[in-house]
Amino acid sequence: MLTTLATLAALTLGAVRQDRDPGSRDTTVAVQPGARLDVNNFGGEIVVRVWNQNNVRVRATHSSRSRVEVSSTAAAVMVRTAGRRGPPSIVDLELTVPAAMAMTLRGHYTDISVEGAGGSVSAESTQGDITITGGTGSVVVKAVEGDVTLSRTRGRIQVTTVEGDVRVADAVGEVVVETVDGDIFLQRMDAPSVEVSTVDGDIVYDGTIKDGGSYRISTHDGDITVGIPPSASVRVMVASFDGEFDSSFPVDVQRSGKHRFSFTIGTGKARVELETFDGDIRLRRPGEVNVRDARNRNQNRNQNRNRDEDHDY
Amino acid sequence: MPRQVLEADVALAASGDADAFERLYRAHSARVHSLVRRMLDGDEADDVTQDVFIRAWQKLGTFRGESAFGTWLHRLTVNVVLARRKSVGVERGRFITDDQPLERATGRRETVELSMDFEEALARLPDGARQVFVLHDVEGYRHEEIARMLGVVPGTSKSQLHHARMALRRYLDR
Amino acid sequence: MNHQWTDRLSEYLDGELMSAERDALETHLAGCAHCRDTLAELRAVVARAQSLENRAPAADLWPEIHARLTVRRRFSLTVSQLLAASIALVVLSGGGVWLALRDGSGTSDPTMAAFPQLVAPAGTPVAWRARTDMAVAQLEETLAQNESRLDTATVRVVRQNLGIIDRAIEKAQRALQADPGSAYLNLHLAQTMRRKIELLRRANALAVAES
């Protein structure tokens, strides 16, 4: 039916003035309740903030070689950037959106930053840092190279990256994080379930250990530090090929093979699995979790990484 | 997307890998959504497409790989659409009895513009005729299969197809 | 215009008329320009139907689909678990440890017993292992073909990280040679291999998206 071919209001921002100087564009579109924000910006920045209006405001800074299109249907407000000719160039987008709006943000060489989101957030960038504050329901991040920083999220977090550190703080909900070359720091967490792994990097978890919860932490080459509250009821399984185990409180270890052992605190209602092939495992009380140790190591690693790059390709 | 990448994704998704399933979604969503959109009212298409992928996720364990994943998913889509059609119950006049149903079918006063494109014209056909046309001419099902799916006799499927084609002749936009 | 014939044109077009009817209709067509025109139009409609292009949904439906998927995740096996199970099965079955695990008898590794997911798929470990190797080979080949579509910075990151994973796999394999019965080492190797598959797959997906 014709009515379902949603009325498409397309505003071509860059077409207003055909100037050759870098310009800035500013437009505002009304938002239907429940509509998503869908942004695709090849390179540059996507910055999203919230306000309590039912409008999306888009401010774009770019050269005359690019253009920015904003279109709106009942289901979504879409922002697309493109080059006038040839490949797209760099565009900085600054958006202000209704607080509860769900969003999908994508880019290639793009830094993404979201402040105060109240809906679900999905962010994807091949090269660039991604920083999200807020987010409810689900926060999904995909990156290849770049650091990911999340805070004050409520809902399921899923982060997949290749080279970069992942930091999550003050989050409530299930967490799944994977990186290959990078550290993972989870701090002040309230999580019923955690599944994090890296191949080359340290991992720190400092947060709740809930009855019935499951916490799986693994790295190939790196240290693991976990905070266990004195009140926790948890069964801890530890595996390490080449590394030391250190606990700041006494535990009654039951060895179950050359590289594995386990112990129970309280009645063992939660399950913690810690695994590193080549690295140390440290158990700490909350408040003793020392992120700095890991960070020093991280800096060394970054220096090595930079050195590698000098004579690579 | 290269075939082998998708095949590996099917196996991964079947074992519970949501990332692999997302790749399948990305590769197939346009086809599924387009089929759903043509079979049902456009405003239901997003919901039903979601249902199709949820169902696919749940049923992937039963996918044996005898048919290509795309074919399997396609068949699943048709089943979800038809189940929807039954459960919604209220249908616009299901079948056509003459060649000019578009104006009346929608109950609109305004004249149907000749500039209306083919897909819009298709969307205005009564549900039954539209589904027969989509299944036969767009998707390549045979009348016997369509009749079974829609619960009509093959003769009805044939005559509805003809009426739908006759009605759509005027909207050949290219 | 002869309705009797017009109504049969679609069936004629689809090759569904009996030969007697077909002959009669063809005789009619020879003398009826109107029916010939209609037939041409119907043919064009069919051609148009077959050329309809698929369009992706205007909004990305994945986030909502994904949100509805998570329930199953908890109750099903993850790939790492399946891979781990397969490899652990292959290696352990030689030493009889596997049977002990499955029976849950006193000699089993209590740590392994705490990983029920490792014990669950008693199916076809060999098939799974073969699939893993095949998936890696296929993905590597596909990536070799696709790599030129990626920008050099991404290629570099992917290669460096594949290198990191390969070194991890090597280390795990070496450790396993010294201690082939270790459930932990088998699990670790499987997990690391799974990471390689994931990274290869990711790189391929990116390359495809670039084209």
Side-chain angles (χ1 to χ4, degrees):
Chain A
M1 277 193 269
L2 290 182
T3 45
T4 63
L5 303 169
T7 42
L8 194 80
L11 310 167
T12 303
L13 294 168
V16 180
R17 291 180 344 191
Q18 295 288 332
D19 54 358
R20 301 211 157 270
D21 300 325
S24 89
R25 315 289 181 220
D26 193 339
T27 190
T28 300
V29 295
V31 176
Q32 305 284 327
R36 296 185 64 82
L37 175 69
D38 187 331
V39 181
N40 202 330
N41 182 20
F42 179 80
E45 234 183 4
I46 303 173
V47 176
V48 183
R49 296 189 186 85
V50 299
W51 60 5
N52 51 14
Q53 296 186 22
N54 284 325
N55 296 314
V56 168
R57 180 179 181 187
V58 183
R59 278 173 289 184
T61 312
H62 57 87
S63 74
S64 56
R65 287 207 304 111
S66 351
R67 68 202 154 78
V68 177
E69 282 174 12
V70 180
S71 58
S72 159
T73 68
V77 173
M78 276 165 284
V79 182
R80 298 281 181 270
T81 64
R84 290 187 187 283
R85 280 182 303 274
S89 56
I90 300 299
V91 178
D92 288 338
L93 287 175
E94 224 183 310
L95 299 100
T96 318
V97 309
M101 196 172 199
M103 58 189 86
T104 303
L105 314 169
R106 272 171 295 194
H108 192 95
Y109 298 102
T110 313
D111 287 336
I112 296 175
S113 145
V114 177
E115 175 75 44
S120 70
V121 180
S122 167
E124 194 170 331
S125 177
T126 310
Q127 315 234 343
D129 294 339
I130 298 177
T131 304
I132 297 168
T133 308
T136 300
S138 113
V139 175
V140 178
V141 174
K142 279 190 187 174
V144 172
E145 184 175 22
D147 293 337
V148 177
T149 309
L150 309 180
S151 60
R152 297 204 295 280
T153 58
R154 306 184 81 79
R156 187 170 197 275
I157 291 175
Q158 182 166 2
V159 178
T160 316
T161 182
V162 177
E163 182 159 315
D165 297 338
V166 179
R167 290 187 172 75
V168 182
D170 303 298
V172 180
E174 208 177 302
V175 184
V176 179
V177 177
E178 268 193 14
T179 178
V180 176
D181 184 8
D183 300 329
I184 302 172
F185 301 114
L186 307 177
Q187 290 179 276
R188 297 182 299 280
M189 302 292 294
D190 183 355
S193 143
V194 167
E195 196 171 332
V196 294
S197 78
T198 176
V199 178
D200 186 1
D202 298 334
I203 303 178
V204 173
Y205 177 83
D206 178 16
T208 53
I209 304 284
K210 294 194 175 202
D211 289 358
S214 160
Y215 304 80
R216 302 176 65 174
I217 296 174
S218 71
T219 174
H220 175 82
D221 184 2
D223 300 336
I224 294 174
T225 308
V226 176
I228 305 269
S231 59
S233 168
V234 58
R235 175 157 168 74
V236 182
M237 282 152 280
V238 177
S240 174
F241 180 71
D242 185 9
E244 289 176 6
F245 175 76
D246 172 47
S247 174
S248 68
F249 48 91
V251 293
D252 187 8
V253 166
Q254 188 189 357
R255 193 155 274 283
S256 52
K258 219 186 293 176
H259 311 297
R260 315 171 71 117
F261 58 87
S262 59
F263 54 90
T264 302
I265 299 171
T267 52
K269 285 183 182 146
R271 202 167 79 173
V272 172
E273 298 170 28
L274 309 173
E275 192 222 324
T276 173
F277 185 85
D278 187 1
D280 300 337
I281 291 177
R282 292 185 282 263
L283 292 193
R284 296 288 181 262
R285 288 303 188 200
E288 300 173 348
V289 178
N290 190 347
V291 178
R292 217 173 327 145
D293 290 349
R295 282 201 178 140
N296 288 338
R297 190 181 168 282
N298 178 33
Q299 276 165 6
N300 293 337
R301 206 161 44 80
N302 277 335
Q303 281 162 11
N304 290 338
R305 196 190 290 168
N306 292 338
R307 257 206 316 278
D308 285 348
E309 282 173 6
D310 290 342
H311 47 78
D312 207 15
Y313 298 83
Chain B
M1 187 169 285
R3 193 181 167 80
Q4 62 266 40
V5 177
L6 283 178
E7 277 173 3
D9 280 338
V10 172
L12 282 169
S15 68
D17 183 332
D19 286 346
F21 191 64
E22 178 177 3
R23 289 186 289 273
L24 295 175
Y25 165 80
R26 302 270 169 228
H28 292 278
S29 62
R31 177 150 162 71
V32 168
H33 193 265
S34 297
L35 173 56
V36 172
R37 200 174 53 234
R38 287 173 192 136
M39 291 281 281
L40 297 169
D41 285 342
D43 49 8
E44 291 178 291
D46 284 1
D47 284 352
V48 176
T49 299
Q50 287 185 19
D51 291 347
V52 167
F53 281 95
I54 301 298
R55 200 110 173 83
W57 171 256
Q58 290 162 345
K59 292 191 70 169
L60 252 179
T62 67
F63 172 65
R64 293 273 170 245
E66 286 137 10
S67 60
F69 175 73
T71 312
W72 179 82
L73 183 65
H74 184 266
R75 190 59 205 235
L76 183 75
T77 307
V78 171
N79 289 343
V80 171
V81 165
L82 295 179
R84 174 84 163 203
R85 172 178 152 274
K86 279 176 198 145
S87 68
V88 170
V90 185
E91 293 185 59
R92 285 184 281 141
R94 270 187 70 188
F95 294 116
I96 312 181
T97 48
D98 63 36
D99 297 347
Q100 297 183 333
L102 294 185
E103 294 81 351
R104 282 193 320 283
T106 56
R108 281 160 200 272
R109 290 270 168 236
E110 77 260 354
T111 319
V112 176
E113 294 168 35
L114 286 176
S115 65
M116 182 163 70
D117 82 9
F118 191 81
E119 292 245 18
E120 290 169 55
L122 175 57
R124 285 196 169 200
L125 288 174
D127 289 341
R130 177 169 48 157
Q131 284 160 2
V132 170
F133 179 81
V134 170
L135 290 173
H136 190 280
D137 281 2
V138 183
E139 305 295 339
Y141 285 89
R142 287 176 295 115
H143 283 299
E144 291 70 24
E145 298 172 285
I146 296 168
R148 217 177 312 125
M149 289 191 269
L150 298 182
V152 297
V153 295
T156 305
S157 175
K158 285 182 192 176
S159 69
Q160 289 305 306
L161 176 67
H162 179 66
H163 285 307
R165 285 176 178 173
M166 292 294 276
L168 290 170
R169 279 181 301 163
R170 267 155 288 150
Y171 304 95
L172 288 163
D173 41 30
R174 25 175 147 136
Chain C
M1 157 163 142
N2 187 330
H3 258 287
Q4 185 206 332
W5 291 118
T6 315
D7 284 349
R8 311 304 297 272
L9 287 173
S10 277
E11 286 172 87
Y12 173 72
L13 192 59
D14 296 334
E16 293 186 349
L17 291 181
M18 303 301 234
S19 58
E21 288 175 305
R22 194 181 60 225
D23 293 347
L25 193 141
E26 280 174 355
T27 309
H28 170 76
L29 278 175
C32 177
H34 180 78
C35 276
R36 282 200 303 277
D37 289 348
T38 305
L39 183 64
E41 287 170 345
L42 292 176
R43 196 169 271 139
V45 168
V46 175
R48 182 73 184 89
Q50 286 163 357
S51 72
L52 286 176
E53 277 168 21
N54 291 332
R55 248 188 309 122
D60 185 2
L61 306 178
W62 174 252
E64 279 190 53
I65 293 172
H66 184 254
R68 290 167 66 188
L69 297 186
T70 54
V71 177
R72 176 183 145 189
R73 202 172 184 281
R74 297 178 182 201
F75 301 106
S76 69
L77 299 164
T78 65
V79 172
S80 67
Q81 290 163 344
L82 282 167
L83 287 176
S86 68
I87 295 167
L89 278 168
V90 169
V91 179
L92 295 178
S93 54
V97 186
W98 164 243
L99 286 174
L101 279 177
R102 195 169 48 180
D103 295 341
S105 65
T107 55
S108 69
D109 173 346
T111 313
M112 280 297 283
F115 291 79
Q117 69 273 18
L118 287 179
V119 184
T124 54
V126 180
W128 257 102
R129 187 168 202 181
R131 263 200 217 186
T132 309
D133 291 344
M134 206 172 69
V136 168
Q138 278 179 346
L139 288 165
E140 280 175 335
E141 191 191 318
T142 313
L143 183 61
Q145 287 162 15
N146 288 341
E147 210 175 51
S148 59
R149 297 179 189 170
L150 291 169
D151 62 279
T152 53
T154 305
V155 169
R156 192 186 63 216
V157 173
V158 168
R159 283 199 192 157
Q160 280 176 349
N161 283 278
L162 281 172
I164 290 171
I165 297 173
D166 278 341
R167 282 192 292 280
I169 288 174
E170 260 175 51
K171 277 192 191 173
Q173 280 170 336
R174 235 178 296 137
L176 254 177
Q177 279 167 9
D179 187 5
S182 166
Y184 157 64
L185 289 175
N186 279 291
L187 174 66
H188 182 75
L189 175 62
Q191 277 171 343
T192 314
M193 284 171 69
R194 203 255 317 170
R195 300 301 300 266
K196 183 171 182 180
I197 291 180
E198 280 297 309
L199 179 54
L200 283 166
R201 194 181 308 283
R202 186 85 195 286
N204 272 315
L206 282 170
V208 171
E210 291 291 299
S211 60

